[in-house]
Amino acid sequence: MKETILRSGIDRRTLLTTLALLPALSAPPLSVSALAQTASSGPLPSWNNGSAKQAILDFVRDTTDRASPKFVPPEERIATFDQDGTLWVEQPIYSQMVYCLDRVPVLVAQEPALKDVEPFKTVLSGNREAIAGLSMRDLEKIVLATLAGITTDEFEAEGKKWLSSAKDPRWKRPYTELVYQPMLEVMTYLRANGFKTYIVTGFGQDFVRLYSQQVYGIPPEQVVGSALAVKYDYDKDGKPVLISEPRLMLYDSAAGKPEGIHLMIGRRPNASFGNSTGDQQMLEYTGAGEGARLSMLVLHDDGIREYAYGPAQGLPYTKIGSFTPALYAEARKKNWTIISMKNDWKNIFSFQ
Amino acid sequence: MKETILRSGIDRRTLLTTLALLPALSAPPLSVSALAQTASSGPLPSWNNGSAKQAILDFVRDTTDRASPKFVPPEERIATFDQDGTLWVEQPIYSQMVYCLDRVPVLVAQEPALKDVEPFKTVLSGNREAIAGLSMRDLEKIVLATLAGITTDEFEAEGKKWLSSAKDPRWKRPYTELVYQPMLEVMTYLRANGFKTYIVTGFGQDFVRLYSQQVYGIPPEQVVGSALAVKYDYDKDGKPVLISEPRLMLYDSAAGKPEGIHLMIGRRPNASFGNSTGDQQMLEYTGAGEGARLSMLVLHDDGIREYAYGPAQGLPYTKIGSFTPALYAEARKKNWTIISMKNDWKNIFSFQ
């Protein structure tokens, strides 16, 4: 029942009253960051000291200190995180894309005529080079075909099954373990300081919602992402179902990120984290608000511990998760903080 | 800082540890409903004893008692509420519709040609009977024309100004005071028991978000409703803005309610509250889940203290908020609970 008590309006007050009677807790006033630091060696143990770590600490200090002119009331504290490339590995290919590719044989079993139709034919061929060469338009076709036409319950069952068995070929681990430990620490630290943390992903929100609580401590309702339209209907037994349609209702990338944030959250974030051109508008929108704002970009400059790609800063170009020189210049101009994976992060994964 | 502490993951644990050391708090285990009852004369003081009140108490007991087979973990507890006619007055006309009608002169000042075009011409005439006779299609035209084409910041400023000055003609009070006290108590009681409360409205979510925190204690991000598409753009100074477009992205009524719930919350509610045919699918969807489910419908059968309308149970028919005999029969068949405003509610408004 204790969780229940802490979630309660009425009982929160009761608790606060009780706490106020305890000298050890009430005087001197408790500082959350002090508490967090006591609980471990500091709030961001996987971060090296430097401007990126300091930017996070400064932002939290400014927004949570009631004496600060940049103080933000707890109920208004919002932080948004891109997922792929910001919270977890996106190379050599987005994990939800792997899921969709893995579903092509299931789809073809249901609709055999597709086996001779592109791009499904190429996927079935198993030719990795040809698959890697598929255009964005082909990939979109695959995404729509493999995700649409099933009930949300079926999708949940299928997706969870895949997540529990599929493994990344490099690390031989489930995709849900390829999470950046320093970013988990940022999320925990922000939540410990009253921020509501959201994922704002260009990929499918229904997919991320399957594991967001377990992996990030973020409940499904705090995941914003691209979404197919769903249609309310009844199954053969008259039971209500929601069926996904082959129509993108929200494409939550680039300008779609602030649009999706407005639709689903309804207010401007105080802090945003991204890693590619698809996150630029979210960071702009965040930064255009008043008071303390934190806009951060992860730069993948560690080819040994993870992957090195840009093409900013002379890093190799990849189709996925581009961090262009133009984005780099924009970040410098707008005082966004760039996180160097190589220099700012002591550890990248919890398993290393 | 105390609110911050209670919102924190890390510090919540610290607090729980501290609480566990306090005999008065740790033994016997705290019951939230017991606490809520101590804080007042009972959890639902404006409700008369009867099957409706009992259904709420039973539902909360079943879902929060860890020993109950119907126990729901706190982080999964979701309750959704229709707004118009369920949480506040919707007669003789939806308050957001009044807002849109009040904006027609502003619109015509900007686009003078509209003054001779229907339905704007009728609205400008001030002829109440003719305005009341406008078709749903005409009203939709007015809604789109008056809400689209402005930035979300402009909408917020305009809407708040209107809300602070407009008054309901019968009670001579701001619309935001015409809230049903018994329903506020249900929301508070559910939140005190770990439920996240959401508004799921057929009207515009951006409008409801302007006052949801103040009126219902519900933050903007927990308001789901009909939504115009917004477009990310830049103003003349290069500042990012979101501009509403004359295109309905989500029509959050009837089948649109479970569709909107899936889009924005991503899980099935445990409890739903409505009052009209537009809420039927939300209640069906809620009821189709496993375990304890609460589906309730407010019946407006109190023509003295509020308005009497159905046409269920021989009550008068109105265009707005229809509770049809078919919905009444469906509620009986599915064991949904009908709330009689006349018999179940001691008080309707806090000001009475």
Side-chain angles (χ1 to χ4, degrees):
Chain A
M1 292 305 276
K2 280 168 182 167
E3 298 94 300
T4 311
I5 294 166
L6 287 163
R7 281 163 172 260
S8 123
I10 289 177
D11 302 305
R12 194 161 56 119
R13 282 194 292 278
T14 311
L15 271 183
L16 289 174
T17 312
T18 311
L19 289 174
L21 300 174
L22 303 171
L25 283 167
S26 61
L30 276 173
S31 146
V32 167
S33 47
L35 271 177
Q37 283 177 18
T38 314
S40 72
S41 58
L44 300 169
S46 299
W47 289 70
N48 290 316
N49 290 329
S51 57
K53 179 175 178 175
Q54 198 55 49
I56 302 167
L57 297 175
D58 290 351
F59 169 77
V60 168
R61 189 200 55 216
D62 289 349
T63 51
T64 58
D65 176 359
R66 283 188 189 273
S68 155
K70 294 175 174 175
F71 175 76
V72 178
E75 65 277 13
E76 293 176 14
R77 295 178 195 159
I78 304 274
T80 51
F81 294 81
D82 166 59
Q83 178 186 248
D84 295 88
T86 299
L87 296 178
W88 78 358
V89 176
E90 63 184 346
Q91 297 288 355
I93 185 169
Y94 301 115
S95 49
Q96 195 185 354
M97 197 67 230
V98 181
Y99 170 71
C100 292
L101 292 170
D102 283 357
R103 268 190 64 81
V104 167
V106 181
L107 184 71
V108 172
Q110 286 161 0
E111 297 181 53
L114 289 179
K115 79 179 193 320
D116 300 316
V117 178
E118 289 297 358
F120 308 102
K121 192 177 165 183
T122 295
V123 176
L124 290 174
S125 75
N127 179 337
R128 280 164 181 272
E129 208 170 316
I131 294 170
L134 288 172
S135 68
M136 279 310 289
R137 213 182 136 72
D138 281 336
L139 293 176
E140 274 170 28
K141 248 187 224 171
I142 291 165
V143 168
L144 286 182
T146 53
L147 298 182
I150 57 172
T151 69
T152 51
D153 288 343
E154 286 164 352
F155 173 77
E156 184 175 335
E158 285 295 313
K160 284 190 170 168
K161 204 171 93 186
W162 184 85
L163 284 163
S164 69
S165 60
K167 287 190 175 168
D168 171 83
R170 175 168 165 190
W171 283 284
K172 317 268 187 292
R173 287 177 176 269
Y175 291 96
T176 46
E177 291 185 15
L178 303 187
V179 180
Y180 306 139
Q181 178 62 25
M183 294 306 288
L184 289 180
E185 292 168 6
V186 173
M187 289 183 146
T188 303
Y189 182 54
L190 287 172
R191 287 197 290 264
N193 282 282
F195 283 84
K196 251 187 174 172
T197 52
Y198 281 81
I199 291 174
V200 178
T201 175
F203 248 102
Q205 63 179 20
D206 282 355
F207 189 74
V208 180
R209 283 170 172 173
L210 298 179
Y211 54 80
S212 61
Q213 181 71 52
Q214 169 212 330
V215 173
Y216 304 116
I218 290 184
E221 60 271 22
Q222 285 166 224
V223 175
V224 175
S226 296
L228 296 185
V230 293
K231 190 175 159 25
Y232 185 74
D233 209 336
Y234 304 89
D235 69 11
K236 59 177 171 30
D237 304 319
K239 199 187 157 190
V241 288
L242 290 164
I243 301 173
S244 54
E245 302 200 300
R247 176 170 68 84
L248 205 53
M249 186 164 184
L250 175 66
Y251 180 47
D252 196 56
S253 182
K257 290 211 174 190
E259 292 164 4
I261 287 170
H262 179 75
L263 179 72
M264 307 247 202
I265 310 178
R267 44 183 159 191
R268 191 191 303 264
N270 308 96
S272 282
F273 301 79
N275 78 302
S276 77
T277 49
D279 302 314
Q280 180 170 343
Q281 290 85 346
M282 176 168 77
L283 269 65
E284 279 175 2
Y285 181 61
T286 300
E290 288 172 10
R293 301 282 154 176
L294 182 64
S295 296
M296 300 190 91
L297 285 168
V298 175
L299 181 68
H300 292 259
D301 57 0
D302 193 328
I304 312 242
R305 295 187 300 172
E306 204 236 11
Y307 292 95
Y309 56 105
Q313 301 294 92
L315 292 160
Y317 166 80
T318 62
K319 269 205 288 193
I320 282 171
S322 279
F323 191 137
T324 60
L327 178 63
Y328 198 91
E330 189 71 12
R332 285 276 176 240
K333 196 176 120 191
K334 296 222 159 87
N335 277 321
W336 299 344
T337 307
I338 292 166
I339 300 164
S340 158
M341 288 179 75
K342 189 171 171 182
N343 301 320
D344 287 316
W345 289 357
K346 268 185 214 159
N347 312 299
I348 292 191
F349 304 110
S350 67
F351 56 80
Q352 275 175 335
Chain B
M1 294 304 275
K2 280 168 184 168
E3 298 95 299
T4 311
I5 294 165
L6 288 164
R7 281 163 170 260
S8 123
I10 288 177
D11 302 305
R12 195 162 53 118
R13 282 195 291 279
T14 312
L15 270 183
L16 290 175
T17 312
T18 311
L19 289 174
L21 301 173
L22 303 171
L25 282 168
S26 61
L30 276 172
S31 147
V32 167
S33 47
L35 271 177
Q37 284 176 16
T38 313
S40 72
S41 58
L44 301 168
S46 299
W47 290 71
N48 290 314
N49 290 329
S51 57
K53 179 175 178 176
Q54 198 55 50
I56 302 166
L57 298 174
D58 290 350
F59 169 77
V60 168
R61 189 200 55 216
D62 289 349
T63 51
T64 59
D65 177 359
R66 283 188 189 272
S68 154
K70 294 175 173 176
F71 175 76
V72 178
E75 65 276 14
E76 293 176 13
R77 295 178 196 160
I78 304 273
T80 51
F81 294 81
D82 167 59
Q83 178 187 247
D84 296 271
T86 299
L87 297 178
W88 77 358
V89 175
E90 64 184 347
Q91 297 289 356
I93 185 169
Y94 301 115
S95 49
Q96 195 185 355
M97 197 67 230
V98 181
Y99 170 72
C100 291
L101 292 169
D102 283 355
R103 268 189 64 81
V104 167
V106 181
L107 184 72
V108 171
Q110 286 162 358
E111 298 181 51
L114 288 180
K115 79 179 192 320
D116 300 316
V117 178
E118 290 296 357
F120 307 103
K121 193 177 164 183
T122 295
V123 177
L124 290 174
S125 75
N127 180 335
R128 279 165 183 270
E129 207 168 316
I131 295 169
L134 289 172
S135 68
M136 279 310 289
R137 214 182 136 73
D138 282 335
L139 294 177
E140 273 170 28
K141 249 187 223 171
I142 292 165
V143 168
L144 287 181
T146 54
L147 297 182
I150 58 173
T151 68
T152 51
D153 288 343
E154 286 165 351
F155 173 78
E156 184 175 335
E158 285 294 313
K160 284 191 171 168
K161 204 171 93 186
W162 184 86
L163 284 163
S164 69
S165 59
K167 286 190 175 166
D168 172 82
R170 175 169 165 189
W171 282 283
K172 318 268 188 292
R173 286 175 177 272
Y175 291 97
T176 46
E177 291 184 15
L178 303 188
V179 180
Y180 307 139
Q181 178 61 25
M183 294 305 289
L184 289 180
E185 292 168 6
V186 173
M187 290 182 146
T188 304
Y189 181 55
L190 287 172
R191 287 197 291 263
N193 282 282
F195 284 84
K196 252 188 174 172
T197 52
Y198 281 82
I199 291 174
V200 178
T201 175
F203 248 101
Q205 63 179 19
D206 282 355
F207 189 74
V208 180
R209 283 170 173 172
L210 298 179
Y211 54 80
S212 61
Q213 182 71 53
Q214 170 213 331
V215 173
Y216 304 115
I218 289 183
E221 60 271 23
Q222 285 167 224
V223 176
V224 175
S226 295
L228 297 184
V230 292
K231 190 177 160 22
Y232 185 75
D233 208 337
Y234 304 89
D235 69 11
K236 57 179 173 27
D237 304 319
K239 198 188 158 190
V241 288
L242 291 164
I243 301 174
S244 54
E245 302 200 300
R247 175 169 69 83
L248 205 53
M249 186 164 183
L250 175 66
Y251 179 48
D252 195 56
S253 182
K257 290 210 174 191
E259 291 164 5
I261 287 170
H262 179 74
L263 178 71
M264 307 247 201
I265 310 178
R267 45 182 158 191
R268 192 191 302 264
N270 308 96
S272 281
F273 301 79
N275 77 301
S276 76
T277 49
D279 302 314
Q280 180 170 345
Q281 290 84 346
M282 175 169 76
L283 269 65
E284 278 174 3
Y285 181 61
T286 300
E290 287 172 10
R293 300 282 154 176
L294 182 64
S295 296
M296 299 190 90
L297 284 167
V298 175
L299 181 68
H300 292 260
D301 57 359
D302 193 328
I304 311 234
R305 296 187 299 172
E306 204 237 11
Y307 293 95
Y309 56 105
Q313 299 295 92
L315 292 161
Y317 166 79
T318 62
K319 268 204 289 195
I320 282 169
S322 280
F323 191 137
T324 60
L327 178 62
Y328 197 92
E330 189 72 12
R332 287 275 176 242
K333 195 176 123 191
K334 295 221 160 86
N335 277 322
W336 299 345
T337 307
I338 292 167
I339 300 165
S340 159
M341 288 179 75
K342 191 172 170 180
N343 302 320
D344 287 316
W345 290 357
K346 268 185 214 160
N347 312 299
I348 291 190
F349 303 111
S350 66
F351 56 79
Q352 275 175 334

